Amino acid sequence: MKQVWVTALAKDEARIAQVAATLKRYGIAAQGHVWLDEPDKAVARVVLDAMQAADAWIVLVDEAALAKPSVRYGLSLLYASLQASRGAAPPVLFLTASGDTVPPPLFAGALTFADRNAAWPAKLVAALARAPKQAPLAALGGYRLTLWGDENIGQWFEIGSLEGPLAGFAFGVPRSDEVSIDFQAVGARGALPAKTTLEYAQEGLRMQIGGTDYVSWAVRNAIGPDDSYFVRVRGCPATLLLMPYPEGDDVEATIVRLG
């Protein structure tokens, strides 16, 4: 039996039950949770672990909630973390109660249907049949991205390359009073390092890309396939800057849009 994870952006028990009943009629088992709009807990490990076995992900849209930058940010990071942990993200369906829904940019390949559209279950079944494994997220530019964090340790990003080792790395966030970087590290993939040694660490690098001013931190450590770069961020940046260590003027940067 196919398994679908359902994320409800609002606690509407009747709607959640109706969707679960519809899925059951199509031979699909459903599990899920109600979204918690707290960025430090957006990628709760218990949720991410539970989603590992999901064949698809349904987001039950509440338009007011989805309009919040913090919710769009959190959904994007959960999707990126799921991609990084599984190696491929599952098909995603945004199910909206009314009106048009514009998912965050990272969900470019997601399906979008209204609850009242009777075709959505059949479309989901078709997606499950033809796409058992999705390609890596093109919007991440060949990187893997995972969020770690809670109210105790703060919000940490883990980043690594899918396309070979890195001879250093730079990470940036838009220059803002609400967003900042305050720590970086390099260590083994899959868990925050207990200690780190940084080579030629730099802080507060200023860059302008696409009309946006970024503040970046960087290291020149070699980062292999089993290693990651870790960085702690305060706030909810709308975009992230990912790039190899800037040796010259022709380094290619990846801008990841989270909202």
Side-chain angles (χ1 to χ4, degrees):
M1 179 180 284
K2 294 292 186 180
Q3 306 260 346
V4 170
W5 187 267
V6 180
T7 294
L9 298 188
K11 191 175 182 179
D12 186 337
E13 294 180 357
R15 186 181 179 210
I16 294 169
Q18 183 179 29
V19 168
T22 300
L23 292 171
K24 186 176 181 179
R25 289 199 299 272
Y26 279 78
I28 300 172
Q31 291 183 293
H33 76 306
V34 177
W35 187 256
L36 181 65
D37 185 21
E38 296 183 18
D40 282 348
K41 301 177 184 177
V43 185
R45 305 315 295 183
V46 65
V47 172
L48 187 59
D49 289 346
M51 292 181 74
Q52 297 304 311
D55 296 297
W57 182 17
I58 293 178
V59 179
L60 291 187
V61 174
D62 174 83
E63 297 294 346
L66 191 60
K68 295 180 180 179
S70 57
V71 172
R72 298 174 70 84
Y73 170 84
L75 287 172
S76 296
L77 290 175
L78 180 54
Y79 193 35
S81 298
L82 189 62
Q83 161 84 40
S85 62
R86 291 174 39 146
V92 181
L93 186 152
F94 280 76
L95 201 56
T96 177
S98 61
D100 295 328
T101 291
V102 180
L106 213 57
F107 292 88
L111 300 170
T112 303
F113 285 96
D115 288 11
R116 62 179 178 272
N117 187 330
W120 74 260
K123 293 291 186 180
L124 177 62
V125 170
L128 288 170
R130 70 173 180 266
K133 184 174 182 179
Q134 302 295 295
L137 301 178
L140 294 180
Y143 295 101
R144 53 178 168 78
L145 174 66
T146 303
L147 181 70
W148 298 84
D150 58 34
E151 63 271 21
N152 296 315
I153 65 172
Q155 177 181 232
W156 286 83
F157 291 95
E158 177 185 354
I159 302 138
S161 174
L162 298 174
E163 300 176 348
L166 297 169
F169 190 74
F171 174 94
V173 295
R175 189 178 176 218
S176 166
D177 291 337
E178 288 77 38
V179 177
S180 63
I181 302 168
D182 66 4
F183 207 89
Q184 62 181 347
V186 173
R189 178 179 180 177
L192 294 179
K195 59 181 180 179
T196 188
T197 300
L198 301 180
E199 300 177 14
Y200 302 100
Q202 293 183 274
E203 304 174 6
L205 300 173
R206 298 281 297 275
M207 305 178 189
Q208 186 175 78
I209 299 177
T212 299
D213 289 323
Y214 287 90
V215 177
S216 302
W217 286 32
V219 295
R220 298 186 71 171
N221 296 61
I223 303 171
D226 295 325
D227 303 318
S228 294
Y229 171 83
F230 298 85
V231 60
R232 189 166 66 183
V233 175
R234 305 292 186 185
C236 300
T239 59
L240 305 177
L241 168 65
L242 313 179
M243 63 187 293
Y245 186 89
E247 296 282 6
D249 296 331
D250 58 350
V251 178
E252 184 174 349
T254 295
I255 302 298
V256 178
R257 303 192 181 281
L258 300 176

